[in-house]
Structures are given as C-alpha cells and as structure tokens.
Amino acid sequence: MLRVALTGLRANKLRVALTGVAIVVGVAFVTASFVFTDTIEARFERLFSEAARGVDVVVRPVRPEFTTGDPTEIGAFDASVLEIVRAVSGVAKAEGGVSGFAQLVDHDGNPIGGQGPPTLGFAWIDDPDLNPMEIRPGNGRAPLAADEIVVDSATASRHGLALGDEVTVITPQGLGRYRIVGIADFGEEESLAGATVTGFRLDEARRRFGLEGRFSEISVVAEPGVPPADLVAALEAILPDGVEAVTAEQATAEQLAEIADALGFLNVALLAFAGVAVFVGAFLIANTFRIIVAQRTRELALYRTIGATAAQVTRLVLVEAVAVAVVAAAVGIVGGVLLSEGLTTAMDALGFAIPDGPLTLRARTVVVGFAVGTIVTAAAALLPARRAGRIPPVAALRLDAVRPPRRSLRDRAQGGGALAAVGVALLGIGLFAGPPNPLAFVGLGAATLFVGIAVLGPFAVGPLTRALGWPLVRWFGAAGLLARENTRREPRRTAATASALMVGVALVVFVAILAASTKATVRASVLETFGADFTITSANFSAGIPRIVVEELAALPELDVVSAVVFDVAGVGDDTARLVAVDPKTIDGLVDLGTSGEVLARLATTPDGVAVAEPLAEREGVGIGDTITLAFPQLPDFPGRVVGIVESSDLGELVVTRATYDRGYLNRFDSMVLARAAGDLAEARRAVEAVVDPYANLRVQTKDEVVADAERQIDQLLALVTGLLFLAVVVAILGITNTLALSIIERTREIGLLRAVGMLRGQVRRMIRWEAVLIALFGALSGIATGILLGWAVVAALRDQGLRSFAVPTGQLAVLVAVAVIAGIVSAVYPGRRAARLDVLEAIAYE
Amino acid sequence: MTTTATTRIAARLVDATKIYGEGTAAVTALDGVDLAFEGARFTAIMGPSGSGKSTLLHCVAGLDVLTSGEAYLGDTALGSLSDRALTLLRRERVGFVFQAFNLIPTLTAAENILLPLLIARRAPDRAWFDHIVDTLGLGHRLDHRPAELSGGERQRVAAARALVTRPEIVFADEPSGNLDSRSGAELLGFLRRAVDDFGQTIVMVTHDPAAAAYADRVVFLDDGRVVDELEGPTAERILDRMKSLGG
Ligand SMILES: Nc1ncnc2c1ncn2[C@@H]1O[C@H](COP(=O)(O)OP(=O)(O)OP(=O)(O)O)[C@@H](O)[C@H]1O
Ligand SMILES: [Mg+2]
C-alpha cells in the first residue's frame, strides 16, 4: 500500500510541492524560534561565564522585587562593607565596583547605543581577576586620571573611536569630556551583549553617578578549596541589612534569565507567526487533499473493488499526506536554521550584539519540527482521508463521477455555528472574564472562530459571488459569467480555498485596527494631557535628562515655566504601581496628572505627601489623610500621607514630589521636562535647542511632534507585523493557485469544449483569472469582516487599560482589497496559462 | 462528384492526409481524401471504427490541422490560419454537436445555447433563439442546468447551440450515439428540418444506418479513404452498401 501511495505522489509533483510549501513555512518558523532561543542562551551563557571567570561570589544590594533591573535601581551600599567582606575567612580577594548609566556621544554628536542594550558606565577594577574586561596588548591601558576612560572594543570599532580621542559622556551629573586611554574586550568577546560600556576611575565613577562613599557591587574570589556556597553562607551571616551575597554562578544565571526575558518577545512573536503559518497551511492541506480525493474517486473506488478495506483507502491518503509532510518538514527545519541565522544577523545590525558562535540545533528542535509538520498535515488530511474511505466501490464502475456521501447542509450549518459560538465564547472569556492565561483563550478562541467561519463559508459563497460577480458578467461576457459560475459550482471548495486567505487577512486587519486604535488613543491622550508648549525627552531608553539641563532651561528668559518629571515604579503591597515624581510648584497646567491645583498645593506643603489615583486608592482602601505604605528601592517602608485622590491618568498612579523621589531612589535622571514659552514660540524653541543641543540623547518636541513620533513608532511595528503576516497571505495565494491548477485538470473537457465553440486562449485565461479574483475577494471580504470583529472585541477589552478609541483604518482596508485582487490575478497566472494551452482535441476526445 | 453548378460548396478537402505520430508508430488516419460538402445539404459520414471519420470532421472544422493537402471552409483555406484565426472561424462560422459532454455544467440550458454569442459578445437574435428553442421543445427547460436534463434534452440543447449563430456549417460527431432510439429520432428529425426549413448545411458522423438515412447523401470511409457514396439513402440501401463494402 505504501508503494501505491508514493506512486500517487510522484504522479503529482506540482500539487505535492505546493501543498508542501505551507508546511515548510510553518515548520521553519517553529524551528527558527527554538534555534534562535537556544543559540542566544548558549552564546550568552558562554559570554557571561567568561566575564565572571575567576569571581566566585558577588556581594550586592538586595534588589527590591518590584524593580525592573535598571542599574540605577540596583542601588548601592556603604563602602565600609568592603572591609567587612575582606575580613571574612575564606575570602582571598575582594574589590568594590560602581555602576550606572553613561551615554557616550560619537564624534558627530550622536548618542551611541541605547536603543536596545543599555549604555553602562562603571569603575575600572585594576585586578584582572576581578575585572570582566581586559585590555589586550596594544589597546592602551587602564584609566589613571579622572578624565580618562576605557571603552569596549565593539563600540570603539563601530563608532570610530580610537585611543587618544576626546569624547563626551553624559551621566546624571551632566556632560563630561574624557580621553580614551584604553579599549577593552570581554574575554573572547568584543562586546557585552551589545551594551555600550565605559570604564572610569573609581572616584570619578562615584562622582558621576552620585555614589560617593558607596559601592554598587563587590566581587569576591574565594581561597583555594573554599566552595562558593560556603562563602556565601559565611558572608550572609555578617552582611548588613539590604546587602546580600550570591555565587557568581547564580548571578550569571540571573543575567541569562534577564536576557531571555528581554528577547522573549521575539520568541513569542516567532511562535505566533509559526502558529499562523501552520494554521493557514492546515487549511491549504485539507483543501488540496479534498480535491485530490475527489479527483481520484474512481481510482480509489477501484482499490475498493479489488478488495481494499475502507480503512486501507483512508490510510493510503494519510500515508501520502505524511510522506509530503516529512519531506516538507525537513526542508522547513533547514529553512528555520537559516531563518534564525538571518535573525541573529538582523539583531546584530539593530545593535543587539549577539555573541559569536555556532547555531545551536538541539535534537528536541528537530523532533518538534517533524512532529509539528507531520501531525498538522495528518490532522488536516484526516477528514479528506476519511471521505476517501467512504467512497463506494461502485464509483469505479459508473461513468459519471460518483461523489462520496457528504454531510448534510444542516449538519454543516450546525457544526459551523457551534464552532463559531465556542470561538466567540472563548474569546469573550479571554478578553473580559480575566482568566489566568488570557492570551491562550484569545488565541484558541480566534482559531476556533476561524474554523467555524470556514465551515460556514460555503453558505456565503452563493450570495457573495453573485453580488461580486455581476460586474464581471456585465463587462467580461462569457469569461466573467463562467468565472462566476465556476466559483459557485462547488461552494465548499471555493470557501475552503478562500478560508486560508480569510485567516491571513483577518489577522492583518486585526493588527491594523489595533494600531489605528492605539494611534487614535495616543493622539487624544497626548493632546488632552499636555498643556506644555515643548517637551524634552531622551531619545533612548537608558539615559535620561541630567538635572543641570532643567536648571539651565529654568534660567532662560524665553521660557515662562519649566518643570521636570520622573516616571518610575514603586511597590504597593505585593503589587507595583506606576509613580510620577513632579515639582508641585511648577507642574500645574503643563501636564494633566489628574491632580488639581489644590492637591498640588497640599503635595508641596505636606512632608511625605502622595496623591493616589482613584482605582489604586480603592484597591488599597485609603482615603485623604490616611497613610499608604510604599516601597522605594532606598526606602522599603515609606509611609506616604495621602493628600489627594486623583483621576487616573495614563502617566502614573502615584504622584510624589521630586524631593520625596530623591530620598527613595538613586536615579538622578529626569524622564521628561515640560516647558511653556514666555513669548514667541519659535524664539523659545531656538533657546531651548541651544541648551539641549550638547546632550546628544535629548530631543525637543511640540505636542504634535510627540504624537507624530508615537504614530511613527506604531506604524513601524505595524509594518513589521504586517510584513510577517503577509507570509500567511502568500501561503493563501499558493492555495488558490493549487486549487485552480487542480480544478483545471478536472475541467479539461469543459475547457476543450469552450475552445471548440470559439473561446480564445486569452478568454480562457481571463476566465481563470476572474475566478481567482472572485475567490480572493471572497476570502478578503470575509477576512476583513472577521478581522473587524476581532479587533473590535480586543479594543473593547482593552478599554480599561487605556485604549479608549476604536478606529478602523478604511484606507488600509481598501488597499487590502486591492492586494487581494492582485493576489487573485497573480495566483491565476500559472493555472490560466495551463488552461489556455490545453489541446482542444485532447480535451474533447471521448474515452 | 455529384454536385451541380448552382450548388454552393460549404466545405471541402483537397488531397487531405493526416498522419498521427512518427516513424514506425505513425498512423495514417486520412489518406489523400478529396471531398466536398454542398451547402444546404445534410451529409452523413459512415465507416468502421478507426476509419478516420472523426479525424476528417476535426480537420475540416478547424479543430485539427492536416499533415498535407488542404481543408477549405467556404473559400477559406484553413492550413495557414493561426490558432486565433481558427478559433474565431469556429466561433463565427461553425457549429458543433459532439457525442457527449456538449454542455458547460455550470451554465443553464439557455446560457449554454447562447454561449458562442456570449463568447463573441454578440447580441442574440431573440426571434431566432425563440424559434430554435420552440422547434426543439426546450422552452420549459431553459433555466435548468445540464445535470437536470435528460440525455436527449442535452443533445437538443447542444444542437440549438450549434444553430444559434446561424453558422455556415454544422458538424456533428455521433450526436445520437448515446441516445435511445426515440430521443435519437427526435434529434435527427430536428437536424433534418434545419436543413429543409433554414437551408442549414450539416455534416454528421454516425455508425447507425437509421441515423444516416436522415441525410441527403452518405459518404463511406475506410482506412482513411473515401470508398463509396450514396445519394438519397434509405436504411436498407445503406445496410446493403455496408455489407458489400465489408464483404
Ligand atoms: N491523437 C491521435 N494520436 C494517434 N492516433 C490517433 C489519434 N487520433 C486518432 N488516431 C488514430 O487515427 C485513426 C482514425 O481515428 P478516428 O478517431 O478518426 O476514427 P473514427 O473513424 O472516428 O473511429 P470511431 O468510429 O471509433 O470513432 C485511428 O486508427 C486512431 O487510432
Ligand atoms: Mg470517432
């Protein structure tokens, strides 16, 4: 039986190849996702253990649970701890370090790095055993004077920094000019995961980060024979509160986990796209096999007449499907490896330096790739295979094609309706009931809904193609009429062919709606919230606005009011809350934090005053005059006096003064400076630009520019996601090509007849083309409808999270319809050419 | 030949030879055939299986090309025409009725009848259409699709389609081959009337002497050659002639 199945495959190379493409794409994404994650993990593991080589134990501040891991939040402890550590028996060597944010500026005045990996500065440690960096011979020396620095070699080579160059470094203390005296590597690597690293002399680092008399970490080398764990225990016993000791191994593991976390979104994205590709592919596979079975009815019936059981015929089809899947999965795995290689290169280009090394292809990845490929294919081919088994033996004997019995329309309506209902219910639960794993519910719900709609699709084929087809019939005569009728002759096939496109388009529409709604929300919120003429923000994540900038701006006569704001996170009970630190005397009217002037006045006069957003106040059960206990990195139990309950705003749930903030946090960067012009706007702007200009990472924007900037970022993300989703659309187009090519084989005689009675080749091609366009339009329109439904549901569910506007990007939908038409035309090229080339005589020859 | 000077020649073959395949596998389907079909007459072509009847029909109808010799439709030599020109010629000047699979399953009977006009984007002559439909008794069947028609009805729809463009000539390859004798007789009677009433030219291939008896003239083929012909045939005379040819 296997041989029979494989013969069937060989006879249909094209359709096998087309079916396989869907599996290849899906498996490639799955594989890439695993290979990429494994590779990153393996490479960083090597990098970090290399960097920590020689160090056995790390002494560090206890990091509050709510912090995000920024270096400024790691905190610091008194320098005296170093002497305590050194006195512990078993400690061979110990050296203190200091670290914080340091933004390097290149020779053209542009900030270096900071879009992804951080820009770090730290105190250079002279003992090579305790310093993860090393200056190779010929690369200079360690910093000896306060104005000397060492930079990492990747940054140096990428930005043309050389020994002896003078560069600007921005830290919370403002600008500083330094001379590069050394270029350092991390063991074998040139870069620490793409971070921009600057090494200062210890006293200079402390001054720049405001950590005089303190350390943020101590590296410890154990005496030979002393296990690190024992040393940790010994240190823990005597370390002061707020300082802890961990093994270097554990610290490395934690760093790894952070990297994995930071790149986790990529993994999720890859798996999501894999899911979409596999899901769309499944439709394509099911459809192809359905047609193949229909076409081979007589052959399969013949097997039955010569004694094959129904189960054997079913198995025959399944074996064929699995054989395709195995080959396609193998190709997909190779493709996935290439894809992940491309991905690491792309990440490198974006500035996320991923350490060099081989790709990691684990056996597990290969197994999963094959499993996904074969299981999905077998599952998709199961229904057509079962139908093949139901073909009665008499079908072999009858002249007219006997179709195996089909489920009744009522069953289909009920089944499809039930599936769609279950899908909607799952979506509803995921979106509105707040289950522990909402994404899973939403994903499963959407998938079920898609299947339900695909099952119900045939009912819509009649009316929809009639409506869409009339211009064809009107303008394109016989070709148009036949195209329309061809899509209607087998509504199931048309719907099934279109369903892959439906899924792809629905997802594109869904993402577009989400993006449009977010943009509308951002616009409304920025325009409502900001009263300032200008905002000054940092263009990258890691460095902020040094305090001196605010002071200089405040001194400008062109500006009426200047106020600085810091956004951060504080602990509240077991949870976290977004915190805004403001200057209550100047902030009023510049930005709407939900606070009234009265509340701000109380904030200014009440020591430890806090304004709390209404939902948070309700959750914590506090009112005006009560005390709310907050956790700040430097003040784990801060007793906040509630001076006002304010409307919740998009910016934060807790409002404190900057004075309070400075007590609770080490960070001295401001997040945003707001300013109002005294007179002429353009003049004021010039003055502001003049102050801000030396700070390469800072930018001045009006409200409109803030909106435009946010919109641009959303659009970029949208373009990326849409680009990937278009892969699903490409798979769907292949599906249409496949179906048409197969149905042309089926319609050989019909086309021959048309040619005999006078249809030109061009007309035949046009007929096939319009048929494809109708199918594509059917898929696109049902996809748009489904996508709008999904988008509306998700936007409605996210209303509480601040997504207040629902916007349908009609322009983009129109483009999508146009794309569908073009896709239809493209997918018809090959089948149309085949149909036009059919030999008239062969086609009408009667067996 | 038995043509008179006044009779128009609708189609003819001159030294027509058709060879399929090459070398040892070559099959000579037509072997130097000279034959003319007069206008407004009903000609039947008979002969044993494999004698080249269908090949002859295909070559003179512009569906296939001769290996040598020439086929003319009216005064048009087909040999030098492109695929496009041949297609347009079939569309404008020729009608077909095949033995089976004459109709497009997705189209209704009416649409099938009008198909050549639809393809040519020509407006139908309503009165002519009604007349044909009436004569063929298809009036109540026009909105049905082929699957909902009987075999006889299907062939009548095919005949209506062949006539609707008022072609110079209609070719029929065993049009009644799949029909019972009553449906077959109805169809053949209709073809006969088309010749008598509208002056239609018809060339029909058949195995059945009773069918051939509807024609004005029977041409006998054997082994790719014209071996005999008969004017004003009856079924008995045809049978006699077939016996003598076979013997
Ligand atoms: N496409 C082809 N390739 C090769 N040989 C062919 C082809 N078509 C027909 N023949 C051969 O040419 C000869 C004439 O065939 P044709 O179909 O014209 O016969 P026919 O008289 O119509 O037979 P029948 O009564 O069975 O329909 C036969 O020997 C046939 O095998
Ligand atoms: Mg024949």
Side-chain angles (χ1 to χ4, degrees):
Chain A
M1 223 46 186
L2 181 67
R3 249 217 328 270
V4 174
L6 296 182
T7 322
L9 286 183
R10 222 168 297 137
N12 293 284
K13 291 194 200 76
L14 173 78
R15 96 187 169 211
V16 171
L18 285 173
T19 313
V21 168
I23 308 169
V24 169
V25 173
V27 171
F29 271 95
V30 173
T31 308
S33 151
F34 281 106
V35 171
F36 183 67
T37 316
D38 291 345
T39 300
I40 300 247
E41 204 179 289
R43 291 190 191 174
F44 276 109
E45 191 163 358
R46 239 194 44 228
L47 175 63
F48 289 144
S49 18
E50 181 89 3
R53 199 184 40 191
V55 177
D56 297 307
V57 172
V58 174
V59 174
R60 62 187 188 187
V62 176
R63 190 199 290 179
E65 253 169 52
F66 60 84
T67 60
T68 51
D70 284 349
T72 48
E73 288 174 6
I74 291 170
F77 45 82
D78 198 84
S80 60
V81 174
L82 181 58
E83 291 318 312
I84 302 176
V85 170
R86 280 183 174 153
V88 171
S89 77
V91 172
K93 278 196 270 191
E95 199 62 72
V98 159
S99 56
F101 277 131
Q103 172 73 63
L104 273 167
V105 181
D106 71 11
H107 294 315
D108 301 326
N110 297 316
I112 292 177
Q115 291 300 342
T119 55
L120 303 173
F122 70 102
W124 184 263
I125 296 173
D126 286 318
D127 186 335
D129 287 346
L130 294 167
N131 190 340
M133 297 180 90
E134 136 193 26
I135 299 171
R136 296 190 190 144
N139 280 350
R141 57 169 173 82
L144 298 174
D147 65 346
E148 292 178 345
I149 53 166
V150 169
V151 297
D152 69 279
S153 84
T155 299
S157 61
R158 201 186 280 235
H159 296 275
L161 306 180
L163 289 176
D165 284 1
E166 290 254 339
V167 289
T168 299
V169 182
I170 302 166
T171 66
Q173 305 300 312
L175 299 169
R177 289 290 284 174
Y178 293 90
R179 203 153 44 88
I180 299 172
V181 297
I183 291 172
D185 293 273
F186 294 84
E188 299 284 296
E189 293 291 336
E190 293 186 345
S191 166
L192 183 72
T196 308
V197 179
T198 312
F200 300 90
R201 238 179 52 174
L202 175 62
D203 51 352
E204 178 65 8
R206 279 179 166 160
R207 194 177 70 75
R208 298 249 40 143
F209 302 130
L211 294 174
E212 283 90 347
R214 288 191 277 186
F215 283 123
S216 40
E217 189 179 90
I218 295 172
S219 304
V220 180
V221 178
E223 298 269 14
V226 178
D230 292 1
L231 198 50
V232 165
L235 284 165
E236 281 287 310
I238 55 151
L239 283 174
D241 265 2
V243 184
E244 65 180 0
V246 294
T247 59
E249 203 175 320
Q250 190 190 332
T252 303
E254 285 174 14
Q255 275 177 307
L256 264 182
E258 260 165 44
I259 295 272
D261 234 32
L263 295 173
F265 77 95
L266 259 176
N267 200 21
V268 170
L270 282 172
L271 280 178
F273 289 119
V276 170
V278 165
F279 188 67
V280 170
F283 276 93
L284 176 54
I285 294 159
N287 197 30
T288 308
F289 277 91
R290 192 172 10 228
I291 300 173
I292 291 171
V293 166
Q295 285 184 350
R296 287 168 64 188
T297 299
R298 228 182 284 167
E299 179 199 332
L300 295 172
L302 196 64
Y303 293 132
R304 294 298 313 278
T305 57
I306 59 174
T309 63
Q312 271 176 313
V313 171
T314 298
R315 234 175 296 140
L316 179 80
V317 175
L318 277 182
V319 165
E320 193 172 316
V322 169
V324 176
V326 168
V327 176
V331 177
I333 289 169
V334 174
V337 171
L338 295 178
L339 188 62
S340 54
E341 176 73 56
L343 215 58
T344 35
T345 313
M347 296 291 289
D348 251 351
L350 288 175
F352 292 84
I354 290 167
D356 288 333
L359 288 176
T360 309
L361 181 62
R362 302 225 166 105
R364 179 258 280 130
T365 309
V366 176
V367 170
V368 170
F370 274 114
V372 166
T374 46
I375 291 171
V376 168
T377 310
L382 191 62
L383 278 181
R386 292 257 313 273
R387 243 183 87 199
R390 289 203 304 270
I391 295 173
V394 290
L397 311 172
R398 288 217 209 125
L399 213 62
D400 48 343
V402 175
R403 290 283 151 92
R406 281 177 148 151
R407 261 163 247 237
S408 76
L409 281 180
R410 224 188 61 214
D411 284 357
R412 174 175 280 270
Q414 286 172 350
L419 278 171
V422 169
V424 169
L426 286 174
L427 269 174
I429 293 172
L431 291 174
F432 299 105
N437 198 348
L439 267 184
F441 275 93
V442 172
L444 203 66
T448 316
L449 178 64
F450 283 142
V451 175
I453 290 174
V455 171
L456 290 174
F459 294 109
V461 167
L464 211 59
T465 51
R466 185 167 280 278
L468 292 172
W470 75 260
L472 290 183
V473 179
R474 223 188 128 93
W475 296 329
F476 299 102
L481 174 67
L482 285 163
R484 188 188 73 186
E485 294 310 315
N486 284 338
T487 56
R488 293 156 60 84
R489 91 164 74 192
E490 289 210 51
R492 286 162 225 253
R493 179 184 296 186
T494 300
T497 308
S499 53
L501 190 60
M502 181 266 290
V503 175
V505 167
L507 292 172
V508 170
V509 168
F510 166 70
V511 173
I513 284 181
L514 219 54
S517 302
T518 310
K519 280 202 278 190
T521 303
V522 166
R523 168 172 287 275
S525 135
V526 168
L527 295 185
E528 274 168 28
T529 313
F530 287 89
D533 292 323
F534 305 112
T535 64
I536 293 112
T537 48
S538 173
N540 66 35
F541 309 127
S542 40
I545 308 168
R547 290 271 161 101
I548 182 134
V549 174
V550 188
E551 286 159 27
E552 285 176 30
L553 287 173
L556 290 176
E558 289 88 348
L559 294 182
D560 185 19
V561 198
V562 175
S563 194
V565 179
V566 190
F567 302 116
D568 215 314
V569 188
V572 184
D574 293 335
D575 233 325
T576 63
R578 287 168 297 134
L579 172 128
V580 200
V582 300
D583 180 350
K585 290 197 205 71
T586 51
I587 192 71
D588 200 18
L590 291 180
V591 62
D592 181 8
L593 297 165
T595 48
S596 60
E598 199 185 326
V599 172
L600 288 173
R602 265 182 270 147
L603 205 54
T605 51
T606 316
D608 295 351
V610 183
V612 184
E614 217 177 325
L616 181 63
E618 208 165 290
R619 201 181 76 203
E620 294 299 313
V622 292
I624 295 182
D626 290 350
T627 300
I628 181 168
T629 305
L630 304 175
F632 299 151
Q634 305 303 310
L635 295 171
D637 295 298
F638 175 80
R641 291 275 302 282
V642 180
V643 297
I645 305 295
V646 300
E647 254 177 69
S648 75
S649 89
D650 296 333
L651 299 176
E653 302 154 280
L654 293 166
V655 185
V656 298
T657 64
R658 287 165 85 219
T660 303
Y661 181 80
D662 285 353
R663 283 158 56 211
Y665 295 76
L666 284 175
N667 172 42
R668 290 297 173 269
F669 274 135
D670 286 318
S671 309
M672 185 184 268
V673 175
L674 301 140
R676 191 184 301 133
D680 183 46
L681 272 183
E683 207 176 295
R685 182 167 193 150
R686 271 194 299 278
V688 173
E689 300 268 13
V691 169
V692 164
D693 201 45
Y695 299 87
N697 62 320
L698 300 189
R699 60 187 172 186
V700 184
Q701 291 176 309
T702 62
K703 269 195 269 193
D704 290 329
E705 286 165 350
V706 170
V707 171
D709 206 50
E711 289 187 335
R712 210 196 57 238
Q713 281 176 27
I714 294 167
D715 282 337
Q716 277 172 358
L717 196 65
L718 176 70
L720 188 75
V721 174
T722 308
L724 281 168
L725 283 176
F726 260 93
L727 265 181
V729 174
V730 169
V731 170
I733 292 171
L734 286 177
I736 298 179
T737 300
N738 204 9
T739 307
L740 282 178
L742 288 167
S743 80
I744 277 157
I745 299 169
E746 218 170 54
R747 300 200 316 241
T748 301
R749 289 174 141 250
E750 207 175 305
I751 292 162
L753 178 67
L754 287 168
R755 296 273 291 125
V757 300
M759 196 174 232
L760 293 167
R761 291 208 160 120
Q763 286 178 302
V764 172
R765 267 199 302 273
R766 238 168 288 153
M767 170 179 82
I768 305 293
R769 179 195 308 153
W770 295 127
E771 186 176 340
V773 167
L774 270 184
I775 296 175
L777 273 177
F778 179 80
L781 292 181
S782 47
I784 286 174
T786 314
I788 289 177
L789 185 81
L790 272 180
W792 174 81
V794 170
V795 170
L798 292 179
R799 185 154 299 155
D800 288 348
Q801 259 128 76
L803 201 58
R804 281 170 295 166
S805 310
F806 172 70
V808 178
T810 40
Q812 282 171 39
L813 297 193
V815 170
L816 214 51
V817 171
V819 167
V821 170
I822 295 168
I825 291 172
V826 170
S827 66
V829 168
Y830 168 76
R833 195 174 304 161
R834 265 185 76 139
R837 288 226 188 107
L838 279 181
D839 184 24
V840 187
L841 278 178
E842 222 167 278
I844 59 170
Y846 196 74
E847 330 171 358
Chain B
M1 267 186 248
T2 57
T3 49
T4 64
T6 54
T7 315
R8 181 177 60 87
I9 301 296
R12 68 200 156 94
L13 288 163
V14 179
D15 194 20
T17 300
K18 175 73 185 179
I19 301 172
Y20 289 111
E22 270 173 35
T24 49
V27 177
T28 306
L30 293 179
D31 191 359
V33 174
D34 284 298
L35 188 61
F37 301 110
E38 300 93 348
R41 293 197 80 198
F42 191 165
T43 309
I45 300 174
M46 298 197 72
S49 195
S51 58
K53 305 183 294 293
S54 295
T55 304
L56 186 151
L57 208 67
H58 292 157
C59 288
V60 77
L63 285 169
D64 205 349
V65 283
L66 290 167
T67 311
S68 70
E70 189 59 278
Y72 294 89
L73 198 81
D75 293 326
T76 315
L78 304 185
S80 56
L81 296 184
S82 65
D83 175 77
R84 183 184 167 83
L86 280 175
T87 307
L88 291 176
L89 175 130
R90 290 198 299 269
R91 182 201 284 178
E92 312 281 337
R93 298 168 61 184
V94 179
F96 287 102
V97 184
F98 300 106
Q99 180 175 359
F101 204 83
N102 268 300
L103 306 179
I104 302 297
T106 49
L107 301 183
T108 62
E111 286 166 340
N112 263 294
I113 294 171
L114 292 171
L115 186 59
L117 295 171
L118 217 56
I119 291 173
R121 317 209 59 186
R122 255 165 58 194
D125 175 346
R126 216 56 236 186
W128 178 237
F129 173 82
D130 290 340
H131 183 66
I132 299 174
V133 166
D134 244 22
T135 317
L136 282 163
L138 287 169
H140 60 296
R141 286 296 192 216
L142 286 179
D143 289 332
H144 293 250
R145 281 173 213 274
E148 300 154 350
L149 300 175
S150 73
E153 283 167 338
R154 273 183 233 167
Q155 289 305 80
R156 276 186 276 152
V157 170
R161 183 197 62 211
L163 291 169
V164 78
T165 57
R166 298 178 193 264
E168 288 170 29
I169 189 163
V170 169
F171 295 104
D173 196 345
E174 305 191 35
S176 56
N178 280 351
L179 301 181
D180 63 39
S181 53
R182 221 195 87 196
S183 314
E186 271 172 18
L187 179 74
L188 292 161
F190 171 72
L191 293 180
R192 180 70 248 171
R193 269 216 304 290
V195 176
D196 294 340
D197 298 356
F198 323 136
Q200 181 66 57
T201 311
I202 297 179
V203 177
M204 173 181 77
V205 167
T206 182
H207 275 117
D208 177 8
Y214 281 84
D216 298 312
R217 170 194 178 204
V218 182
V219 176
F220 292 93
L221 275 192
D222 194 8
D223 231 357
R225 275 184 215 116
V226 178
V227 289
D228 201 357
E229 52 183 277
L230 197 62
E231 287 286 329
T234 63
E236 293 88 62
R237 288 180 60 204
I238 295 168
L239 267 174
D240 285 348
R241 198 62 66 92
M242 282 169 73
K243 273 182 201 137
S244 69
L245 285 171

